Amino acid sequence: SRPGWAWEPVVRTGDVVEQILHAQTEMEIDLLVMASQGHQGLLDLLLGSTTQRVVRGAQCAVFVIPEKRREETDQSGIPGL
């Protein structure tokens, strides 16, 4: 953990978006970091349906990390290597 930064893994059951938004409020989280796969419509293509719903419902900043396309991975299949 970096000075001034704290993080805590959380495991919950139920609707993914509801649980993320509930944890964000309950734990007073000021930044959510999410990956996005983007599989469906235009906005879903950019964000992904779960990420889109979290971005719309969160009461804090949401940092979205887009999925790398397959052609951006090397032969190992690991993005960024």
Side-chain angles (χ1 to χ4, degrees):
S1 176
R2 299 177 81 174
W5 290 71
W7 65 274
E8 177 181 343
V10 176
V11 177
R12 295 181 183 229
T13 59
D15 179 78
V16 175
V17 175
E18 286 179 14
Q19 292 302 318
I20 291 171
L21 296 177
H22 181 72
Q24 184 264 313
T25 302
E26 178 184 280
M27 300 171 71
E28 299 180 352
I29 294 169
D30 55 6
L31 174 65
L32 293 169
V33 179
M34 298 185 68
S36 176
Q37 294 180 336
H39 288 296
Q40 297 174 345
L42 181 58
L43 192 52
D44 289 346
L45 181 62
L46 299 173
L47 293 180
S49 59
T50 300
T51 304
Q52 175 188 355
R53 290 173 49 210
V54 170
V55 167
R56 289 183 174 180
Q59 297 179 354
C60 69
V62 181
F63 183 74
V64 179
I65 302 169
E67 176 186 47
K68 288 188 180 257
R69 295 188 307 256
R70 182 169 300 281
E71 60 269 12
E72 293 178 7
T73 61
D74 72 345
Q75 293 173 358
S76 71
I78 301 172
L81 289 182

